[in-house]
Amino acid sequence: MAHGTNIGAAHPVAMGGGEMDSTMKEKVENDAVAYIKSLADQRGRNISWAEEAVRKSVSATEQEAFRLKIIDIVAENIPALLKQLNGRKVSLLNSSITLATETTTLHDFPLGTRLELLKILSDPNIAYLLMSIGTIGIMAELYSPGAILPGIIGAISLILAFYSLQSLPVNYAGALLVILGAVFLLLDISVTSYGLLALGGLAAMTLGGLLLIKSDAPYLQVSLSFLLPTVLAAGGLVGVVAWMAVKSGRGKPVTGAEGMIGVLAVAKTDLNPRGQITIHGEIWDAISQRPIRQGETAEVVSVEGLTVTVTPPHQ
């Protein structure tokens, strides 16, 4: 054992923290006692302490464990352990060997780039982020076919999210809530819901993040400090896109016949009242209530079919 560690408290408990009935509790306890006593006898350990570790959940520090003959060595690090192991005999199934560890060389095998990347992807926070980005990207591409970039980013993120989730205990209800929340947020851009879809999307993504991992271990949960900023950022992004869509809808038309109103043209011929003008390199038939000479500037007032009505600027 290392310094500052402890051993013991081996009383059996039910998986998930539930309660066992008295008969099952006694059965499991006796089975665990028999198993640990056989191990202690086989390895020459303190059999009575091993039984108390199961029945009474007793525990011992490293020094107490050494005195009680529960362990053989207390070492502060790997080199110290190897030094104390040198010359010790270890019993195997049908034989024994003597350890020669005094001249042993330690070799470190760090994770490569590939494994480091896979380690990062297996983080629950990264899995949640990739799922959110992937869903939003795919939905954005479906709403605006031909944008390409959202679809590429969304597809890659979603595939990486699936890889990440396969290494985690996933609650599929949480995953579906995350996807549903992203869909609601995107629907809010094109559907008049007075903010209800956006609120529903934010709520679904938050609940989905909280339920995404089916484990009570804190290190496997999506962190609130990561979840809330991610949800708010997604909501803010969708809000900005919706605002830009509304603004462009209310703005002055820039294409079609409506987009020509107010545009300055050049008279190709004299207009008195009819003639021709040039707009963006195109020749149009034009009518003007005031005479306009060839080469002068004219402002488009209205468009009817292939004929425009113009007037001298600022008149």
Side-chain angles (χ1 to χ4, degrees):
M1 293 175 64
H3 291 289
T5 59
N6 64 287
I7 187 173
H11 192 90
V13 295
M15 293 292 290
E19 289 291 333
M20 294 184 288
D21 59 56
S22 59
T23 303
M24 180 59 70
K25 183 177 180 181
E26 183 180 2
K27 178 179 178 179
V28 172
E29 183 178 304
N30 290 334
D31 182 68
V33 167
Y35 179 64
I36 200 169
K37 286 173 68 177
S38 68
L39 289 178
D41 181 58
Q42 182 182 0
R43 299 300 179 184
R45 307 300 182 196
N46 189 324
I47 297 177
S48 61
W49 184 92
E51 182 175 358
E52 288 186 350
V54 174
R55 294 197 185 277
K56 300 180 181 180
S57 292
V58 297
S59 187
T61 66
E62 80 282 1
Q63 296 300 334
E64 291 171 341
F66 184 75
R67 289 195 301 269
L68 292 169
K69 296 184 179 181
I70 304 167
I71 63 171
D72 293 327
I73 295 173
V74 176
E76 60 184 11
N77 51 39
I78 298 297
L81 174 62
L82 293 175
K83 185 176 181 181
Q84 295 186 63
L85 285 175
N86 188 57
R88 283 181 173 266
K89 287 187 176 181
V90 177
S91 297
L92 301 179
L93 186 61
N94 297 315
S95 62
S96 63
I97 60 172
T98 300
L99 300 178
T101 57
E102 189 174 14
T103 58
T104 300
T105 302
L106 294 176
H107 295 279
D108 292 329
F109 294 92
L111 294 177
T113 303
R114 174 177 171 274
L115 292 178
E116 285 287 356
L117 177 60
L118 298 182
K119 178 183 175 182
I120 293 173
L121 290 177
S122 297
D123 188 304
N125 296 314
I126 300 300
Y128 176 81
L129 179 63
L130 289 173
M131 177 171 286
S132 301
I133 294 176
T135 306
I136 291 175
I138 294 295
M139 291 300 299
E141 181 66 27
L142 293 176
Y143 269 94
S144 303
I148 299 177
L149 183 60
I152 293 175
I153 295 176
I156 293 174
S157 298
L158 212 53
I159 292 173
L160 292 177
F162 290 151
Y163 169 83
S164 181
L165 292 175
Q166 78 171 356
S167 61
L168 296 168
V170 182
N171 183 340
Y172 290 101
L176 290 174
L177 280 171
V178 174
I179 295 174
L180 183 64
V183 172
F184 279 172
L185 287 176
L186 287 172
L187 283 175
D188 191 62
I189 297 176
S190 56
V191 177
T192 304
S193 66
Y194 304 101
L196 292 178
L197 281 172
L199 290 176
L202 295 176
M205 290 187 70
T206 303
L207 290 173
L210 294 175
L211 299 175
L212 184 61
I213 305 301
K214 189 168 49 178
S215 172
D216 294 330
Y219 59 88
L220 284 178
Q221 297 296 319
V222 178
S223 172
L224 276 177
S225 60
F226 182 88
L227 173 63
L228 295 179
T230 302
V231 172
L232 293 176
L237 177 62
V238 171
V240 170
V241 174
W243 176 77
M244 293 176 63
V246 172
K247 183 179 178 181
S248 63
R250 294 177 177 177
K252 177 182 176 182
V254 294
T255 59
E258 294 82 0
M260 294 175 59
I261 307 299
V263 173
L264 295 179
V266 177
K268 184 175 178 62
T269 64
D270 291 340
L271 279 76
N272 190 21
R274 291 183 173 272
Q276 291 182 326
I277 60 172
T278 303
I279 305 175
H280 302 316
E282 300 174 346
I283 299 175
W284 288 74
D285 292 328
I287 300 175
S288 176
Q289 300 301 324
R290 291 175 172 271
I292 299 176
R293 290 184 171 277
Q294 181 181 357
E296 291 183 347
T297 302
E299 181 179 347
V300 177
V301 176
S302 63
V303 179
E304 185 176 348
L306 298 178
T307 302
V308 298
T309 301
V310 297
T311 184
H314 309 299
Q315 295 295 325

